[in-house]
Amino acid sequence: MSYDDADHDWWQHAVIYQIYLRSFADGNGDGIGDLTGLRQRLPYLHELGVDAIWITPWYPTPGVDGGYDVSDYCGINPEYGTLADADAVIAEAHRLGIRVIADLVPNHTSDQHPWFRRAAAAEPGDAARDRYWFRPGRGERADQPPNNWQSLFGGPAWTRLTPDGPDWYLHLFAAGQPDLNWTDPQLAGEFDAVLRFWFDRGIDGFRIDVAHGLSKDPQLPDLLAEDEQTLLGGAQQGHPHWDRDETIDIYRRWRAVADSYDPPRVFVAEAWVEGTERLRRYLSPDALHSAFNFGLLGCPWDAAALRREIVDHLAGLGRTAPATWVLSNHDVIRHVTRYGRAQTSLDEARQRYGEPVDLDLGRRRARAAALLTLALPGSTYVYQGDELGLAEVEDLPAAVRQDPNASEAPGRDGCRIPIPWAPDGTPSHGFGATDRGWLPSPPGWAGLSVAVQDGDPDSSLTLYRTALAVRRKLRAPGDEHDLHWFEAGPAVLAFRRGALGCVVNLGAEPVRLNAGANVVLSSGSGDPGVVEPDTAAWVHLPAGGDELF
Ligand code: NOJ
Ligand code: CA
C-alpha cells in the first residue's frame, strides 16, 4: 500500500493514529518510548491500515508536562533520539504509505526555552520581555498575582519571577509553561521558521496544541464571575484568554506557509470552544483545515445523546471542513473504562475514578463505538492502545505518577501506560524496556498484548484491522459529507455513508437485520443477522441500497 501524492484531500477521510511517543515502543531498552522503537513498529501500523500518525511532542523538554513544555522547537528530545531518527521515521512512514503529523505547541514554551531565559534575565521594560506576559504583582509588596486567572492545572495562572521581585509571569498551564505573547512583532516570524523547518523535513502537517488560546486581551482584565475558568472558551465573545478572534489571523498566516508546499501541508486544531459554530471560525480554505471534535469524549453510551452529537457536529460544520471523531486521547480516561462505568459526562468519569467498573461491558461497547466512529463521514482518530481494548489504569501508586495536572486528580498517567507488545516475561510486556517502562504496566496486560491478539479472529486488534480494510474498500470519493439515517427505534443508531451501512444497538433487546442484509463486519459474535445489545454491525449497501431491517 502506498498513498497517492496527488490526493491533497487525504485529511478529509483519514484514519489518524495518535502516537504517544514516550509509551509506544522503546528501541533502546531504557524504559522510554523513542523514535527507533516507533520506526521498528511502523509495519504494525501499516498492517493496521492507518492513513497517518500524529506524534505527540518530540522536542527537547524538561518534561514537566509530557513534552508540552518545549525548550527547542527545532530539535529532538535526546531521550527520543536525534533529528536523523526523526527523518528516518518520516521516510519509512512515507514508504509504507503513512503520513506524519507532528505536534506544535505555540501557546507556551518551557521556562527553560532560551526565549524565556533571556526574558527572565532582562530588566523590566526590556524588549526581550515582550515575548511573554510579565506584569507586576498586586498589593503593596507586589505579592498578589496580577489578575485572577487560574491555571488549568490548578492554582493561579501566575508565578512570581523571583521571590521578592515585583514581576510575575502568566502560565495557563504549569508554571514551567509560560504563555507566549503573540502580539510580540518577532514571534510570528519565529514560528514561520519552525513550520518550514519541519515541513522541509517532510512532515505532512501539524496538530496545534491549545489552538484556541494563543491570543489574550492585552489589558489582562480579571475574569468575571460568568467567564469560564475551564478549558472551554465559552460561547460569549470577548473572553480574555480563550477563543479570541485575533487568533484566526495567526492561522491565516500559517495556512499560506502550508499551502506554499507541494503537496500542501495540513493542520488539525486542538480547540476547546463552545459548539461547532465557534469551531467553524477556525476552519476555512484560508485558515485551518480541520479541528478535533471532542463531543464524543464526554458523551454517554446513549443512542439519543450520541446521535445528537453526530447530527450537531455535521450540521454545524456543513461543508466547511470534514467531521472528526475522537473517542480517547492522552488527556482523558480511556473509553473502555468510561463505557464500563456508564458515566454521563467526562466530569462524572473523573469524579468516579477508581470506582468499580465492568470492563467486559466497557470493551464490548468500545468495539461497537469503533465501528460507529469508523463508519461516520470524515476523519477518525485512534489513540494508541484503543485497537487493543486497553482500559484506564486507575490504581497507579502516587509515587509513580508524573502528570502535573492536579486539577484532574489523580492526573492523566493512567491513559499513558506503555503499549504491551508481547507476553515476553518483561514487566512491560515487550514494550522494549529491559526493566519496567517509565510508568509500570498491569500484569494482566500480557493477555492484551499485540502478539496475543494478532491472528485471533475475535480480538479487538483483528476487529480494527478488518474495519480499516473494509472502510478503505467501501469508501467512495465524495462521501465525506454523506450521511443518511434510518429510523430503527430510540436505542438504535442506523445510518449509511455511501455503500457502508452501520447499525449500533445501545438498547437491551437484540435487533434483527433484514434477511438479505450483507453483513461484512460485526463487533459481536454469533448470528451476524442479529445485532446484539452493545454491539454494532456493518452492512454493505451497494449503490442506493437501503435494505437494513
Ligand atoms: C493539550 C495537550 O493535549 C495536553 O496534554 C497538555 O497538557 C496541554 N495541551 C498543555 O500543552
Ligand atoms: Ca528508549
Side-chain angles (χ1 to χ4, degrees):
M1 175 189 86
S2 178
Y3 57 75
D4 177 4
D5 243 351
D7 180 11
H8 292 180
D9 293 335
W10 64 270
W11 48 276
Q12 306 212 12
H13 52 79
V15 175
I16 301 168
Y17 184 94
Q18 180 188 351
I19 304 281
Y20 194 76
L21 192 53
R22 204 171 184 78
S23 299
F24 187 63
D26 178 10
N28 66 354
D30 67 354
I32 298 171
D34 51 47
L35 289 167
T36 300
L38 167 55
R39 183 169 47 72
Q40 288 165 347
R41 294 295 182 179
L42 285 170
Y44 167 76
L45 299 174
H46 173 65
E47 197 181 345
L48 181 56
V50 303
D51 300 293
I53 52 177
W54 147 37
I55 307 173
T56 51
W58 54 15
Y59 314 102
T61 171
V64 305
D65 181 21
Y68 285 94
D69 48 319
V70 179
S71 53
D72 173 6
Y73 289 100
C74 296
I76 293 288
N77 178 352
E79 290 176 321
Y80 299 155
T82 62
L83 276 173
D85 294 327
D87 291 342
V89 164
I90 297 165
E92 183 62 5
H94 285 172
R95 199 183 66 75
L96 292 170
I98 300 172
R99 288 176 166 96
V100 178
I101 297 176
D103 206 319
L104 189 67
V105 189
N107 180 68
H108 43 263
T109 66
S110 161
D111 62 354
Q112 298 307 308
H113 193 289
W115 298 338
F116 189 77
R117 295 169 74 118
R118 206 175 305 137
E123 292 298 317
D126 189 290
R129 286 267 172 117
D130 295 345
R131 184 140 302 178
Y132 296 88
W133 296 101
F134 288 93
R135 288 291 184 276
R138 285 179 177 169
E140 244 167 58
R141 287 191 299 277
D143 57 357
Q144 299 301 313
N147 71 19
N148 69 357
W149 298 4
Q150 296 294 301
S151 157
L152 267 296
F153 289 169
W158 295 90
T159 289
R160 207 168 185 178
L161 192 54
T162 56
D164 303 312
D167 279 349
W168 297 60
Y169 67 89
L170 174 70
H171 54 87
L172 289 175
F173 295 87
Q177 294 168 296
D179 277 58
L180 284 164
N181 177 352
W182 275 87
T183 68
D184 169 30
Q186 311 297 324
L187 186 59
E190 298 273 11
F191 267 87
D192 289 353
V194 172
L195 296 179
R196 289 189 185 282
F197 180 85
W198 293 105
F199 290 161
D200 288 344
R201 295 193 101 87
I203 66 155
D204 300 278
F206 272 117
R207 174 250 189 205
I208 306 169
D209 189 58
V210 201
H212 61 307
L214 275 50
S215 301
K216 278 91 187 171
D217 180 338
Q219 303 303 318
L220 307 178
D222 272 335
L223 281 168
L224 307 174
E226 66 266 28
D227 282 330
E228 282 279 356
Q229 298 262 356
T230 67
L231 195 52
L232 218 53
Q236 75 276 36
Q237 305 277 329
H239 188 285
H241 64 67
W242 292 140
D243 194 19
R244 295 177 62 78
D245 289 341
E246 313 89 275
T247 317
I248 320 289
D249 295 332
I250 300 168
Y251 301 137
R252 293 206 178 89
R253 181 173 171 135
W254 290 7
R255 181 62 176 260
V257 177
D259 281 350
S260 72
Y261 282 79
D262 182 22
R265 311 305 202 235
V266 305
F267 295 109
V268 53
E270 185 216 20
W272 293 87
V273 299
E274 190 77 63
T276 317
E277 267 309 301
R278 302 286 299 170
L279 198 57
R280 229 175 129 137
R281 293 157 43 255
Y282 294 74
L283 305 171
S284 68
D286 74 341
L288 300 180
H289 303 74
S290 66
F292 294 128
N293 160 26
F294 294 127
L296 299 188
L297 294 184
C299 191
W301 185 249
D302 172 87
L306 281 165
R307 182 162 173 174
R308 202 174 323 116
E309 285 294 343
I310 295 165
V311 167
D312 287 356
H313 182 63
L314 290 169
L317 285 179
R319 295 193 170 242
T320 15
T324 62
W325 311 102
V326 179
L327 286 170
S328 276
N329 63 30
H330 65 294
D331 291 330
V332 300
I333 295 167
R334 282 190 178 270
H335 60 276
V336 164
T337 301
R338 301 201 312 266
Y339 292 152
R341 206 173 270 139
Q343 99 298 326
T344 56
S345 69
L346 203 47
D347 279 347
E348 189 190 332
R350 288 185 181 124
Q351 282 152 21
R352 297 181 56 192
Y353 205 91
E355 284 184 12
V357 56
D358 182 344
L359 290 183
D360 288 336
L361 178 66
R363 290 213 165 90
R364 200 173 157 83
R365 291 177 170 173
R367 290 169 61 97
L371 294 199
L372 167 65
T373 54
L374 290 166
L376 288 168
S379 284
T380 299
Y381 287 81
V382 175
Y383 177 45
Q384 68 182 36
D386 284 356
E387 79 280 20
L388 304 176
L390 299 187
E392 186 79 8
V393 176
E394 297 182 301
D395 57 0
L396 283 174
V400 304
R401 289 190 173 272
Q402 319 226 355
D403 183 30
N405 186 351
S407 70
E408 284 168 24
R412 299 165 293 179
D413 298 298
C415 62
R416 301 174 176 181
I417 304 296
I419 292 296
W421 289 97
D424 64 354
T426 60
S428 48
H429 319 301
F431 166 62
T434 45
D435 184 5
R436 70 165 180 82
W438 70 284
L439 288 172
S441 303
W445 277 21
L448 291 170
S449 64
V450 171
V452 169
Q453 297 202 31
D454 188 23
D456 171 358
D458 299 326
S459 74
S460 174
L461 178 57
T462 300
L463 180 77
Y464 268 82
R465 281 181 181 154
T466 315
L468 266 58
V470 172
R471 173 184 161 108
R472 196 179 284 266
K473 199 163 92 209
L474 294 188
R475 201 187 83 76
D479 67 10
E480 290 87 25
H481 297 282
D482 181 25
L483 184 86
H484 171 79
W485 291 97
F486 300 99
E487 298 311 326
V492 178
L493 297 174
F495 60 90
R496 167 163 64 70
R497 183 197 66 180
L500 177 59
C502 179
V503 180
V504 191
N505 184 0
L506 296 100
E509 300 300 324
V511 173
R512 183 161 291 282
L513 298 174
N514 184 304
N518 179 10
V519 177
V520 287
L521 188 58
S522 274
S523 74
S525 48
D527 180 354
V530 176
V531 186
E532 296 289 343
D534 297 313
T535 73
W538 280 4
V539 181
H540 184 204
L541 298 171
D546 61 358
E547 296 298 300
L548 271 181
F549 302 104

